[in-house]
Amino acid sequence: MSQKLTDAEIQTQLAQVPDWTLEGDRLQRTYRFKDFVEAIAFVNKLVEPAEAAGHHPDIAISYNRVIVTLTTHDAGGLTQKDFDLATQIANL
Ligand SMILES: C[C@H](O)[C@H](O)[C@H]1CNC2=NC(N)=NC(=O)C2=N1
């Protein structure tokens, strides 16, 4: 299991993923698309990197908006896995 990051480590990591924000002890980004079909297409693109990492985002879909939230359930907070996946998602 990955170790929870300290507040200082989280701040350092946040600078590497500028479009993501800290929401409590979670990392979050909202994506907006043309319509529901494009939103779902994006969600489908998350499957491969998430499965490859063995790490899975929480996803909320509302028509053309997708809110991706990252946290490590096993650790009860943010770990390096969350920032690694955020980077991969940002590079899709
Ligand atoms: C056994 C398996 O690797 C774990 O249950 C993984 C699966 N995906 C996961 N995803 C996330 N976001 N947090 C976890 O703690 C987690 N645990």
Side-chain angles (χ1 to χ4, degrees):
M1 190 205 300
S2 290
Q3 255 192 321
K4 246 175 102 162
L5 298 175
T6 64
D7 288 347
E9 287 169 335
I10 287 169
Q11 290 307 321
T12 303
Q13 290 295 325
L14 265 177
Q16 311 300 315
V17 286
D19 294 318
W20 293 75
T21 57
L22 198 60
E23 303 294 335
D25 59 357
R26 293 159 171 256
L27 195 57
Q28 195 168 87
R29 182 169 174 180
T30 299
Y31 288 84
R32 283 188 180 73
F33 299 94
K34 184 171 66 88
D35 55 24
F36 183 67
V37 171
E38 290 206 356
I40 294 298
F42 170 73
V43 169
N44 277 324
K45 285 203 282 185
L46 304 184
V47 175
E48 197 180 316
E51 280 295 299
H55 198 63
H56 304 94
D58 295 339
I59 303 168
I61 307 163
S62 178
Y63 177 48
N64 66 337
R65 192 181 60 175
V66 179
I67 303 174
V68 182
T69 306
L70 298 172
T71 185
T72 302
H73 305 118
D74 293 349
L78 287 170
T79 66
Q80 190 59 46
K81 283 186 178 179
D82 298 302
F83 287 96
D84 290 348
L85 190 55
T87 300
Q88 286 200 61
I89 293 171
N91 291 335
L92 280 175

